Amino acid sequence: MICRGCHANGEHDFWEFCDLGVQPLANTLLTKDQLLEPVTTYPLRPMLCEKCMLVQLPDLVSPEQTFSDYPYFSSQSATYVEHSRQHADDLIKHFLMGEAWRREHAGGEGRLVVEIASNDGYMLRHFIRGGIERVYGIEPARNVADHATKRGIPTFVDFFSSVLASKLVESKDGLVTGGRADVIIANNVLAHVPNLSSFLVGLRIMLAPEGVVSIEVPWLKDLVDGDECGTIYHEHLSYFLLHSIEYALTGQAGGLRVFDVEHFPEIHGGTMRLYLCHGSAQHEQTERVREWQSVERGWLVSAPLHHFGRQPSALKQAVWSFLLSQKVIDRYVCGYGAAAKAATVLSYCGVGPELMPWIADTTPAKWDRYLGGTQIHITTPLALTERRPDVIWVLAPNWIEEIKSKLRDQCDWHPHVAWQDGTEIRMERL
Ligand code: TMP
Ligand code: ZN
């Protein structure tokens, strides 16, 4: 094992602090025919590199395997769509307008914004609307990229790396490519990247001298403090602190530095947004970065991962006691939101169709498939009104408020709504 962040490779550099058993890939959605085939499972045991504090899984699965047909569409959550719109507007206001920018770009080809893992174009469309001259996305999953292309957002179907960055910067292929970017966005992608150094070097290659990289990634501290073990699945290879990213940036992938950081506790169970620039750029480091560093240092001293290792089995007990208590009083329980974290939790807890016959989800690409590892059928939210379950277990607890308000409109028979909160299952009447 070699640490993805700092390249440590000693036997004693890693600590396996948590065991989530063996599980199939969380984003695998099976067809009815595939239910009859054997399922490949992989160990799910995250490790902490004690040198740079990066929590990681070994890359047992190739990214091609994960992203050839990816069932995740960023536009499914209104909360996330609104978060992204605000983010785009802020980036335009702070980094793509104003005097400094005009001076630097006098006579240039116009502003360039690049998004890595641009998904269905949920974010880039705001830059096009905002009049940014050149905008393009890089997205490895063709089925998702096609949605963006249909919306008129130029999208390269590829994995980002230092090699791709050089190729795109030097490309003379039309207006869209070529040149360095004023803003690069990389949201919810860093955790998926097997070769972190190549990715970070790629950012450096692609970034204009005074440009800004904006990265959003789940924050390990929120994951651990919120006991969100469902967020740990094979497609998430790394779990970051600001500390581990800064460590990686000063190592082989040097040249960039973090100059600002923001916290979004409500996004994906707790997200940090980092702003990076070239080491020599004029962006001053904010006080927020120093405060964040000090919070992380204090937190690490409290040895939080010792406690976290006990969470999966506590959650399993809570899930079983919740489902059995509902069964005893003959309540009909269904799921809502076939998120990857739902697959992790249900598959780890051994919940199958006998306890939860189906899960409703708004994503058409997931309909009539089966949640990998659980064999539970995924169907449209119309099933709720047709079958009127007594209890709806929301399996995407990170969107609980948005989903509750949607269910209030749809379910006039006032079912109960349940959701996971750390190692507890909470329930209330709609
Ligand atoms: P995520 O937690 O990885 O964003 O996945 C959320 C899943 O829940 C995804 O499959 C979309 C689904 N979903 C709904 O079906 N309805 C909703 O209102 C929301 C917010 C999500
Ligand atoms: Zn390390």
mmCIF file of all heavy atoms in Angstrom, residues 62-110:
data_model
loop_
_atom_site.group_PDB
_atom_site.id
_atom_site.type_symbol
_atom_site.label_atom_id
_atom_site.label_comp_id
_atom_site.label_asym_id
_atom_site.label_seq_id
_atom_site.Cartn_x
_atom_site.Cartn_y
_atom_site.Cartn_z
ATOM 1 N N SER A 62 -11.211 -0.255 -11.002
ATOM 2 C CA SER A 62 -10.728 0.778 -11.919
ATOM 3 C C SER A 62 -11.815 1.844 -12.098
ATOM 4 O O SER A 62 -13.007 1.542 -12.064
ATOM 5 C CB SER A 62 -10.385 0.163 -13.277
ATOM 6 O OG SER A 62 -11.576 -0.143 -13.960
ATOM 7 N N PRO A 63 -11.391 3.111 -12.283
ATOM 8 C CA PRO A 63 -12.383 4.176 -12.497
ATOM 9 C C PRO A 63 -13.252 3.883 -13.723
ATOM 10 O O PRO A 63 -14.425 4.242 -13.754
ATOM 11 C CB PRO A 63 -11.538 5.423 -12.729
ATOM 12 C CG PRO A 63 -10.180 5.103 -12.233
ATOM 13 C CD PRO A 63 -10.016 3.617 -12.281
ATOM 14 N N GLU A 64 -12.678 3.222 -14.734
ATOM 15 C CA GLU A 64 -13.451 2.901 -15.944
ATOM 16 C C GLU A 64 -14.658 2.043 -15.554
ATOM 17 O O GLU A 64 -15.755 2.214 -16.065
ATOM 18 C CB GLU A 64 -12.601 2.148 -16.970
ATOM 19 C CG GLU A 64 -11.577 3.017 -17.708
ATOM 20 C CD GLU A 64 -10.358 3.356 -16.855
ATOM 21 O OE1 GLU A 64 -10.205 2.771 -15.750
ATOM 22 O OE2 GLU A 64 -9.571 4.228 -17.272
ATOM 23 N N GLN A 65 -14.426 1.116 -14.618
ATOM 24 C CA GLN A 65 -15.501 0.221 -14.175
ATOM 25 C C GLN A 65 -16.619 1.019 -13.484
ATOM 26 O O GLN A 65 -17.790 0.769 -13.686
ATOM 27 C CB GLN A 65 -14.896 -0.772 -13.190
ATOM 28 C CG GLN A 65 -15.607 -2.092 -13.095
ATOM 29 C CD GLN A 65 -14.824 -3.001 -12.146
ATOM 30 O OE1 GLN A 65 -13.601 -2.889 -12.005
ATOM 31 N NE2 GLN A 65 -15.518 -3.903 -11.500
ATOM 32 N N THR A 66 -16.206 1.994 -12.692
ATOM 33 C CA THR A 66 -17.191 2.778 -11.943
ATOM 34 C C THR A 66 -17.943 3.759 -12.837
ATOM 35 O O THR A 66 -19.137 3.961 -12.672
ATOM 36 C CB THR A 66 -16.484 3.601 -10.845
ATOM 37 O OG1 THR A 66 -15.674 2.720 -10.094
ATOM 38 C CG2 THR A 66 -17.464 4.288 -9.934
ATOM 39 N N PHE A 67 -17.229 4.392 -13.751
ATOM 40 C CA PHE A 67 -17.818 5.547 -14.427
ATOM 41 C C PHE A 67 -18.273 5.297 -15.854
ATOM 42 O O PHE A 67 -18.630 6.240 -16.552
ATOM 43 C CB PHE A 67 -16.844 6.730 -14.394
ATOM 44 C CG PHE A 67 -16.652 7.263 -13.005
ATOM 45 C CD1 PHE A 67 -15.502 6.969 -12.286
ATOM 46 C CD2 PHE A 67 -17.640 8.018 -12.405
ATOM 47 C CE1 PHE A 67 -15.341 7.440 -10.996
ATOM 48 C CE2 PHE A 67 -17.489 8.496 -11.111
ATOM 49 C CZ PHE A 67 -16.332 8.203 -10.408
ATOM 50 N N SER A 68 -18.276 4.030 -16.309
ATOM 51 C CA SER A 68 -18.692 3.822 -17.697
ATOM 52 C C SER A 68 -20.188 4.126 -17.857
ATOM 53 O O SER A 68 -20.626 4.677 -18.845
ATOM 54 C CB SER A 68 -18.355 2.398 -18.139
ATOM 55 O OG SER A 68 -19.012 1.503 -17.287
ATOM 56 N N ASP A 69 -20.988 3.792 -16.841
ATOM 57 C CA ASP A 69 -22.418 4.092 -16.915
ATOM 58 C C ASP A 69 -22.811 4.529 -15.510
ATOM 59 O O ASP A 69 -23.203 3.733 -14.678
ATOM 60 C CB ASP A 69 -23.174 2.816 -17.347
ATOM 61 C CG ASP A 69 -24.672 3.059 -17.416
ATOM 62 O OD1 ASP A 69 -25.078 4.231 -17.526
ATOM 63 O OD2 ASP A 69 -25.434 2.073 -17.343
ATOM 64 N N TYR A 70 -22.703 5.837 -15.246
ATOM 65 C CA TYR A 70 -22.800 6.331 -13.880
ATOM 66 C C TYR A 70 -24.210 6.808 -13.604
ATOM 67 O O TYR A 70 -24.738 7.642 -14.337
ATOM 68 C CB TYR A 70 -21.799 7.480 -13.714
ATOM 69 C CG TYR A 70 -21.480 7.836 -12.289
ATOM 70 C CD1 TYR A 70 -21.021 6.881 -11.403
ATOM 71 C CD2 TYR A 70 -21.630 9.137 -11.837
ATOM 72 C CE1 TYR A 70 -20.712 7.213 -10.097
ATOM 73 C CE2 TYR A 70 -21.317 9.480 -10.533
ATOM 74 C CZ TYR A 70 -20.859 8.513 -9.668
ATOM 75 O OH TYR A 70 -20.554 8.849 -8.382
ATOM 76 N N PRO A 71 -24.852 6.292 -12.541
ATOM 77 C CA PRO A 71 -26.260 6.639 -12.350
ATOM 78 C C PRO A 71 -26.489 7.912 -11.542
ATOM 79 O O PRO A 71 -27.582 8.136 -11.067
ATOM 80 C CB PRO A 71 -26.803 5.417 -11.592
ATOM 81 C CG PRO A 71 -25.637 4.920 -10.810
ATOM 82 C CD PRO A 71 -24.397 5.286 -11.581
ATOM 83 N N TYR A 72 -25.488 8.735 -11.345
ATOM 84 C CA TYR A 72 -25.661 9.909 -10.479
ATOM 85 C C TYR A 72 -25.828 11.189 -11.308
ATOM 86 O O TYR A 72 -24.954 11.536 -12.101
ATOM 87 C CB TYR A 72 -24.460 10.060 -9.540
ATOM 88 C CG TYR A 72 -24.707 11.161 -8.544
ATOM 89 C CD1 TYR A 72 -25.545 10.954 -7.455
ATOM 90 C CD2 TYR A 72 -24.169 12.419 -8.731
ATOM 91 C CE1 TYR A 72 -25.827 11.972 -6.566
ATOM 92 C CE2 TYR A 72 -24.441 13.449 -7.848
ATOM 93 C CZ TYR A 72 -25.259 13.211 -6.763
ATOM 94 O OH TYR A 72 -25.550 14.228 -5.886
ATOM 95 N N PHE A 73 -26.925 11.880 -11.102
ATOM 96 C CA PHE A 73 -27.164 13.139 -11.803
ATOM 97 C C PHE A 73 -27.272 14.254 -10.774
ATOM 98 O O PHE A 73 -28.157 14.235 -9.920
ATOM 99 C CB PHE A 73 -28.456 13.056 -12.630
ATOM 100 C CG PHE A 73 -28.316 12.147 -13.822
ATOM 101 C CD1 PHE A 73 -28.475 10.771 -13.682
ATOM 102 C CD2 PHE A 73 -27.989 12.655 -15.068
ATOM 103 C CE1 PHE A 73 -28.317 9.926 -14.762
ATOM 104 C CE2 PHE A 73 -27.831 11.815 -16.163
ATOM 105 C CZ PHE A 73 -28.005 10.440 -16.010
ATOM 106 N N SER A 74 -26.357 15.232 -10.868
ATOM 107 C CA SER A 74 -26.305 16.292 -9.860
ATOM 108 C C SER A 74 -27.602 17.084 -9.804
ATOM 109 O O SER A 74 -27.946 17.656 -8.770
ATOM 110 C CB SER A 74 -25.157 17.247 -10.166
ATOM 111 O OG SER A 74 -23.949 16.549 -10.156
ATOM 112 N N SER A 75 -28.336 17.154 -10.905
ATOM 113 C CA SER A 75 -29.521 18.014 -10.945
ATOM 114 C C SER A 75 -30.719 17.432 -10.200
ATOM 115 O O SER A 75 -31.787 18.032 -10.187
ATOM 116 C CB SER A 75 -29.920 18.296 -12.397
ATOM 117 O OG SER A 75 -28.889 18.959 -13.052
ATOM 118 N N GLN A 76 -30.590 16.282 -9.562
ATOM 119 C CA GLN A 76 -31.746 15.665 -8.885
ATOM 120 C C GLN A 76 -32.135 16.368 -7.588
ATOM 121 O O GLN A 76 -33.248 16.229 -7.129
ATOM 122 C CB GLN A 76 -31.468 14.180 -8.574
ATOM 123 C CG GLN A 76 -31.521 13.282 -9.775
ATOM 124 C CD GLN A 76 -32.864 13.319 -10.478
ATOM 125 O OE1 GLN A 76 -33.905 13.223 -9.854
ATOM 126 N NE2 GLN A 76 -32.845 13.499 -11.783
ATOM 127 N N SER A 77 -31.212 17.087 -6.975
ATOM 128 C CA SER A 77 -31.548 17.735 -5.711
ATOM 129 C C SER A 77 -31.649 19.247 -5.893
ATOM 130 O O SER A 77 -30.691 19.906 -6.313
ATOM 131 C CB SER A 77 -30.474 17.417 -4.672
ATOM 132 O OG SER A 77 -30.465 18.430 -3.696
ATOM 133 N N ALA A 78 -32.822 19.796 -5.550
ATOM 134 C CA ALA A 78 -33.031 21.237 -5.695
ATOM 135 C C ALA A 78 -32.070 22.004 -4.778
ATOM 136 O O ALA A 78 -31.577 23.070 -5.126
ATOM 137 C CB ALA A 78 -34.475 21.584 -5.362
ATOM 138 N N THR A 79 -31.789 21.438 -3.589
ATOM 139 C CA THR A 79 -30.874 22.098 -2.646
ATOM 140 C C THR A 79 -29.497 22.227 -3.292
ATOM 141 O O THR A 79 -28.847 23.263 -3.222
ATOM 142 C CB THR A 79 -30.721 21.251 -1.356
ATOM 143 O OG1 THR A 79 -32.002 20.812 -0.943
ATOM 144 C CG2 THR A 79 -30.039 22.019 -0.258
ATOM 145 N N TYR A 80 -29.052 21.146 -3.936
ATOM 146 C CA TYR A 80 -27.718 21.166 -4.539
ATOM 147 C C TYR A 80 -27.676 22.091 -5.760
ATOM 148 O O TYR A 80 -26.695 22.804 -5.975
ATOM 149 C CB TYR A 80 -27.292 19.740 -4.924
ATOM 150 C CG TYR A 80 -25.825 19.704 -5.253
ATOM 151 C CD1 TYR A 80 -24.875 19.948 -4.263
ATOM 152 C CD2 TYR A 80 -25.388 19.507 -6.550
ATOM 153 C CE1 TYR A 80 -23.531 19.983 -4.554
ATOM 154 C CE2 TYR A 80 -24.036 19.533 -6.854
ATOM 155 C CZ TYR A 80 -23.120 19.775 -5.853
ATOM 156 O OH TYR A 80 -21.789 19.817 -6.150
ATOM 157 N N VAL A 81 -28.766 22.094 -6.522
ATOM 158 C CA VAL A 81 -28.840 22.958 -7.706
ATOM 159 C C VAL A 81 -28.733 24.422 -7.268
ATOM 160 O O VAL A 81 -27.996 25.208 -7.863
ATOM 161 C CB VAL A 81 -30.146 22.673 -8.492
ATOM 162 C CG1 VAL A 81 -30.437 23.762 -9.508
ATOM 163 C CG2 VAL A 81 -30.067 21.300 -9.169
ATOM 164 N N GLU A 82 -29.403 24.778 -6.188
ATOM 165 C CA GLU A 82 -29.371 26.157 -5.690
ATOM 166 C C GLU A 82 -27.981 26.500 -5.123
ATOM 167 O O GLU A 82 -27.457 27.582 -5.361
ATOM 168 C CB GLU A 82 -30.473 26.341 -4.629
ATOM 169 C CG GLU A 82 -30.505 27.673 -3.908
ATOM 170 C CD GLU A 82 -30.565 28.877 -4.853
ATOM 171 O OE1 GLU A 82 -30.933 28.714 -6.025
ATOM 172 O OE2 GLU A 82 -30.208 29.983 -4.401
ATOM 173 N N HIS A 83 -27.396 25.548 -4.394
ATOM 174 C CA HIS A 83 -26.042 25.724 -3.857
ATOM 175 C C HIS A 83 -25.064 26.011 -5.008
ATOM 176 O O HIS A 83 -24.216 26.892 -4.923
ATOM 177 C CB HIS A 83 -25.670 24.436 -3.106
ATOM 178 C CG HIS A 83 -24.237 24.315 -2.712
ATOM 179 N ND1 HIS A 83 -23.721 24.924 -1.585
ATOM 180 C CD2 HIS A 83 -23.202 23.636 -3.282
ATOM 181 C CE1 HIS A 83 -22.438 24.642 -1.481
ATOM 182 N NE2 HIS A 83 -22.099 23.857 -2.493
ATOM 183 N N SER A 84 -25.207 25.278 -6.104
ATOM 184 C CA SER A 84 -24.301 25.426 -7.244
ATOM 185 C C SER A 84 -24.520 26.753 -7.964
ATOM 186 O O SER A 84 -23.563 27.373 -8.433
ATOM 187 C CB SER A 84 -24.506 24.284 -8.245
ATOM 188 O OG SER A 84 -24.419 23.069 -7.574
ATOM 189 N N ARG A 85 -25.782 27.167 -8.049
ATOM 190 C CA ARG A 85 -26.047 28.446 -8.717
ATOM 191 C C ARG A 85 -25.368 29.584 -7.947
ATOM 192 O O ARG A 85 -24.694 30.424 -8.523
ATOM 193 C CB ARG A 85 -27.555 28.693 -8.802
ATOM 194 C CG ARG A 85 -27.925 29.913 -9.642
ATOM 195 C CD ARG A 85 -29.349 30.363 -9.431
ATOM 196 N NE ARG A 85 -29.642 30.716 -8.036
ATOM 197 C CZ ARG A 85 -29.227 31.803 -7.411
ATOM 198 N NH1 ARG A 85 -28.503 32.689 -8.056
ATOM 199 N NH2 ARG A 85 -29.516 32.023 -6.141
ATOM 200 N N GLN A 86 -25.521 29.534 -6.610
ATOM 201 C CA GLN A 86 -24.893 30.588 -5.789
ATOM 202 C C GLN A 86 -23.382 30.557 -5.918
ATOM 203 O O GLN A 86 -22.728 31.583 -5.997
ATOM 204 C CB GLN A 86 -25.248 30.359 -4.329
ATOM 205 C CG GLN A 86 -26.500 31.061 -3.933
ATOM 206 C CD GLN A 86 -26.827 30.788 -2.477
ATOM 207 O OE1 GLN A 86 -25.954 30.472 -1.665
ATOM 208 N NE2 GLN A 86 -28.088 30.877 -2.148
ATOM 209 N N HIS A 87 -22.844 29.351 -5.951
ATOM 210 C CA HIS A 87 -21.392 29.191 -6.076
ATOM 211 C C HIS A 87 -20.914 29.799 -7.391
ATOM 212 O O HIS A 87 -19.933 30.545 -7.431
ATOM 213 C CB HIS A 87 -21.076 27.688 -6.011
ATOM 214 C CG HIS A 87 -19.615 27.371 -6.001
ATOM 215 N ND1 HIS A 87 -19.142 26.110 -6.248
ATOM 216 C CD2 HIS A 87 -18.521 28.128 -5.790
ATOM 217 C CE1 HIS A 87 -17.837 26.114 -6.179
ATOM 218 N NE2 HIS A 87 -17.426 27.323 -5.891
ATOM 219 N N ALA A 88 -21.620 29.490 -8.486
ATOM 220 C CA ALA A 88 -21.240 30.022 -9.798
ATOM 221 C C ALA A 88 -21.298 31.549 -9.776
ATOM 222 O O ALA A 88 -20.359 32.229 -10.222
ATOM 223 C CB ALA A 88 -22.158 29.453 -10.879
ATOM 224 N N ASP A 89 -22.393 32.105 -9.224
ATOM 225 C CA ASP A 89 -22.526 33.561 -9.183
ATOM 226 C C ASP A 89 -21.392 34.191 -8.370
ATOM 227 O O ASP A 89 -20.834 35.218 -8.745
ATOM 228 C CB ASP A 89 -23.888 33.956 -8.580
ATOM 229 C CG ASP A 89 -25.031 33.671 -9.554
ATOM 230 O OD1 ASP A 89 -24.741 33.319 -10.717
ATOM 231 O OD2 ASP A 89 -26.202 33.782 -9.148
ATOM 232 N N ASP A 90 -21.032 33.544 -7.240
ATOM 233 C CA ASP A 90 -19.934 34.072 -6.408
ATOM 234 C C ASP A 90 -18.608 34.042 -7.163
ATOM 235 O O ASP A 90 -17.810 34.975 -7.087
ATOM 236 C CB ASP A 90 -19.779 33.223 -5.129
ATOM 237 C CG ASP A 90 -20.876 33.528 -4.130
ATOM 238 O OD1 ASP A 90 -21.632 34.487 -4.372
ATOM 239 O OD2 ASP A 90 -20.986 32.787 -3.142
ATOM 240 N N LEU A 91 -18.362 32.944 -7.863
ATOM 241 C CA LEU A 91 -17.095 32.832 -8.592
ATOM 242 C C LEU A 91 -17.008 33.911 -9.670
ATOM 243 O O LEU A 91 -15.960 34.531 -9.873
ATOM 244 C CB LEU A 91 -16.953 31.443 -9.220
ATOM 245 C CG LEU A 91 -16.650 30.304 -8.238
ATOM 246 C CD1 LEU A 91 -16.794 28.946 -8.920
ATOM 247 C CD2 LEU A 91 -15.235 30.440 -7.665
ATOM 248 N N ILE A 92 -18.139 34.144 -10.339
ATOM 249 C CA ILE A 92 -18.141 35.170 -11.395
ATOM 250 C C ILE A 92 -17.850 36.540 -10.763
ATOM 251 O O ILE A 92 -16.989 37.282 -11.219
ATOM 252 C CB ILE A 92 -19.506 35.187 -12.142
ATOM 253 C CG1 ILE A 92 -19.675 33.885 -12.931
ATOM 254 C CG2 ILE A 92 -19.602 36.405 -13.062
ATOM 255 C CD1 ILE A 92 -21.025 33.718 -13.612
ATOM 256 N N LYS A 93 -18.548 36.819 -9.671
ATOM 257 C CA LYS A 93 -18.423 38.134 -9.029
ATOM 258 C C LYS A 93 -17.010 38.374 -8.482
ATOM 259 O O LYS A 93 -16.417 39.422 -8.685
ATOM 260 C CB LYS A 93 -19.446 38.210 -7.888
ATOM 261 C CG LYS A 93 -19.639 39.597 -7.356
ATOM 262 C CD LYS A 93 -20.937 39.704 -6.587
ATOM 263 C CE LYS A 93 -20.591 39.925 -5.133
ATOM 264 N NZ LYS A 93 -21.598 39.443 -4.210
ATOM 265 N N HIS A 94 -16.459 37.356 -7.807
ATOM 266 C CA HIS A 94 -15.185 37.579 -7.113
ATOM 267 C C HIS A 94 -13.954 37.392 -7.997
ATOM 268 O O HIS A 94 -12.930 38.020 -7.778
ATOM 269 C CB HIS A 94 -15.068 36.655 -5.902
ATOM 270 C CG HIS A 94 -16.067 36.974 -4.842
ATOM 271 N ND1 HIS A 94 -16.155 38.203 -4.268
ATOM 272 C CD2 HIS A 94 -17.039 36.225 -4.273
ATOM 273 C CE1 HIS A 94 -17.133 38.216 -3.384
ATOM 274 N NE2 HIS A 94 -17.696 37.018 -3.375
ATOM 275 N N PHE A 95 -14.039 36.492 -8.959
ATOM 276 C CA PHE A 95 -12.801 36.153 -9.672
ATOM 277 C C PHE A 95 -12.854 36.365 -11.180
ATOM 278 O O PHE A 95 -11.846 36.227 -11.860
ATOM 279 C CB PHE A 95 -12.424 34.693 -9.386
ATOM 280 C CG PHE A 95 -12.249 34.416 -7.926
ATOM 281 C CD1 PHE A 95 -13.067 33.518 -7.266
ATOM 282 C CD2 PHE A 95 -11.266 35.075 -7.193
ATOM 283 C CE1 PHE A 95 -12.923 33.267 -5.909
ATOM 284 C CE2 PHE A 95 -11.102 34.844 -5.835
ATOM 285 C CZ PHE A 95 -11.938 33.939 -5.186
ATOM 286 N N LEU A 96 -14.024 36.637 -11.724
ATOM 287 C CA LEU A 96 -14.097 36.756 -13.185
ATOM 288 C C LEU A 96 -14.541 38.144 -13.629
ATOM 289 O O LEU A 96 -14.807 38.375 -14.800
ATOM 290 C CB LEU A 96 -15.050 35.694 -13.750
ATOM 291 C CG LEU A 96 -14.536 34.254 -13.602
ATOM 292 C CD1 LEU A 96 -15.647 33.252 -13.849
ATOM 293 C CD2 LEU A 96 -13.374 34.000 -14.548
ATOM 294 N N MET A 97 -14.641 39.068 -12.686
ATOM 295 C CA MET A 97 -14.994 40.434 -13.051
ATOM 296 C C MET A 97 -14.009 41.353 -12.336
ATOM 297 O O MET A 97 -13.166 40.920 -11.600
ATOM 298 C CB MET A 97 -16.404 40.771 -12.559
ATOM 299 C CG MET A 97 -17.390 39.717 -12.885
ATOM 300 S SD MET A 97 -18.842 40.267 -13.703
ATOM 301 C CE MET A 97 -19.653 41.229 -12.499
ATOM 302 N N GLY A 98 -14.140 42.626 -12.574
ATOM 303 C CA GLY A 98 -13.356 43.579 -11.781
ATOM 304 C C GLY A 98 -12.091 44.001 -12.487
ATOM 305 O O GLY A 98 -11.668 43.440 -13.494
ATOM 306 N N GLU A 99 -11.467 44.980 -11.882
ATOM 307 C CA GLU A 99 -10.328 45.672 -12.481
ATOM 308 C C GLU A 99 -9.112 44.764 -12.686
ATOM 309 O O GLU A 99 -8.506 44.736 -13.754
ATOM 310 C CB GLU A 99 -9.959 46.843 -11.552
ATOM 311 C CG GLU A 99 -9.659 48.163 -12.200
ATOM 312 C CD GLU A 99 -10.084 48.286 -13.648
ATOM 313 O OE1 GLU A 99 -11.291 48.364 -13.976
ATOM 314 O OE2 GLU A 99 -9.167 48.282 -14.481
ATOM 315 N N ALA A 100 -8.769 44.012 -11.624
ATOM 316 C CA ALA A 100 -7.557 43.176 -11.684
ATOM 317 C C ALA A 100 -7.658 42.212 -12.857
ATOM 318 O O ALA A 100 -6.711 42.035 -13.624
ATOM 319 C CB ALA A 100 -7.401 42.400 -10.386
ATOM 320 N N TRP A 101 -8.850 41.626 -12.997
ATOM 321 C CA TRP A 101 -9.027 40.652 -14.066
ATOM 322 C C TRP A 101 -8.881 41.328 -15.431
ATOM 323 O O TRP A 101 -8.221 40.836 -16.321
ATOM 324 C CB TRP A 101 -10.410 39.985 -13.941
ATOM 325 C CG TRP A 101 -10.502 38.871 -14.917
ATOM 326 C CD1 TRP A 101 -10.122 37.593 -14.725
ATOM 327 C CD2 TRP A 101 -10.938 38.975 -16.263
ATOM 328 N NE1 TRP A 101 -10.299 36.871 -15.875
ATOM 329 C CE2 TRP A 101 -10.807 37.702 -16.834
ATOM 330 C CE3 TRP A 101 -11.432 40.016 -17.049
ATOM 331 C CZ2 TRP A 101 -11.137 37.427 -18.145
ATOM 332 C CZ3 TRP A 101 -11.767 39.751 -18.355
ATOM 333 C CH2 TRP A 101 -11.625 38.467 -18.902
ATOM 334 N N ARG A 102 -9.465 42.514 -15.568
ATOM 335 C CA ARG A 102 -9.439 43.204 -16.866
ATOM 336 C C ARG A 102 -8.001 43.558 -17.260
ATOM 337 O O ARG A 102 -7.606 43.392 -18.400
ATOM 338 C CB ARG A 102 -10.295 44.468 -16.817
ATOM 339 C CG ARG A 102 -11.697 44.224 -17.403
ATOM 340 C CD ARG A 102 -12.448 45.540 -17.578
ATOM 341 N NE ARG A 102 -12.946 46.001 -16.311
ATOM 342 C CZ ARG A 102 -14.059 45.515 -15.737
ATOM 343 N NH1 ARG A 102 -14.756 44.592 -16.341
ATOM 344 N NH2 ARG A 102 -14.467 45.974 -14.571
ATOM 345 N N ARG A 103 -7.216 44.002 -16.266
ATOM 346 C CA ARG A 103 -5.824 44.368 -16.547
ATOM 347 C C ARG A 103 -5.071 43.169 -17.092
ATOM 348 O O ARG A 103 -4.374 43.239 -18.084
ATOM 349 C CB ARG A 103 -5.142 44.854 -15.260
ATOM 350 C CG ARG A 103 -5.164 46.360 -15.091
ATOM 351 C CD ARG A 103 -4.074 46.829 -14.130
ATOM 352 N NE ARG A 103 -3.989 46.057 -12.884
ATOM 353 C CZ ARG A 103 -4.789 46.267 -11.814
ATOM 354 N NH1 ARG A 103 -5.682 47.224 -11.853
ATOM 355 N NH2 ARG A 103 -4.665 45.547 -10.737
ATOM 356 N N GLU A 104 -5.260 42.046 -16.418
ATOM 357 C CA GLU A 104 -4.498 40.860 -16.793
ATOM 358 C C GLU A 104 -4.893 40.339 -18.170
ATOM 359 O O GLU A 104 -4.111 39.776 -18.903
ATOM 360 C CB GLU A 104 -4.717 39.762 -15.741
ATOM 361 C CG GLU A 104 -3.617 38.734 -15.790
ATOM 362 C CD GLU A 104 -3.937 37.563 -14.868
ATOM 363 O OE1 GLU A 104 -4.553 37.803 -13.818
ATOM 364 O OE2 GLU A 104 -3.589 36.451 -15.228
ATOM 365 N N HIS A 105 -6.171 40.545 -18.527
ATOM 366 C CA HIS A 105 -6.674 39.928 -19.747
ATOM 367 C C HIS A 105 -6.827 40.877 -20.916
ATOM 368 O O HIS A 105 -7.413 40.508 -21.920
ATOM 369 C CB HIS A 105 -8.013 39.247 -19.470
ATOM 370 C CG HIS A 105 -7.824 37.975 -18.726
ATOM 371 N ND1 HIS A 105 -7.561 37.962 -17.395
ATOM 372 C CD2 HIS A 105 -7.814 36.691 -19.140
ATOM 373 C CE1 HIS A 105 -7.416 36.713 -16.990
ATOM 374 N NE2 HIS A 105 -7.558 35.920 -18.035
ATOM 375 N N ALA A 106 -6.315 42.089 -20.775
ATOM 376 C CA ALA A 106 -6.481 43.050 -21.858
ATOM 377 C C ALA A 106 -5.977 42.424 -23.158
ATOM 378 O O ALA A 106 -4.852 41.941 -23.228
ATOM 379 C CB ALA A 106 -5.700 44.318 -21.525
ATOM 380 N N GLY A 107 -6.801 42.399 -24.164
ATOM 381 C CA GLY A 107 -6.384 41.854 -25.467
ATOM 382 C C GLY A 107 -6.422 40.344 -25.523
ATOM 383 O O GLY A 107 -6.099 39.736 -26.551
ATOM 384 N N GLY A 108 -6.852 39.677 -24.436
ATOM 385 C CA GLY A 108 -6.871 38.202 -24.429
ATOM 386 C C GLY A 108 -8.084 37.649 -25.154
ATOM 387 O O GLY A 108 -8.875 38.384 -25.748
ATOM 388 N N GLU A 109 -8.230 36.337 -25.070
ATOM 389 C CA GLU A 109 -9.320 35.679 -25.804
ATOM 390 C C GLU A 109 -10.627 35.649 -25.014
ATOM 391 O O GLU A 109 -11.605 35.104 -25.479
ATOM 392 C CB GLU A 109 -8.960 34.218 -26.065
ATOM 393 C CG GLU A 109 -7.777 34.010 -26.937
ATOM 394 C CD GLU A 109 -7.510 32.519 -27.021
ATOM 395 O OE1 GLU A 109 -6.887 31.997 -26.093
ATOM 396 O OE2 GLU A 109 -7.945 31.901 -27.992
ATOM 397 N N GLY A 110 -10.606 36.178 -23.824
ATOM 398 C CA GLY A 110 -11.819 36.100 -22.994
ATOM 399 C C GLY A 110 -11.629 35.094 -21.891
ATOM 400 O O GLY A 110 -10.709 34.273 -21.906
#
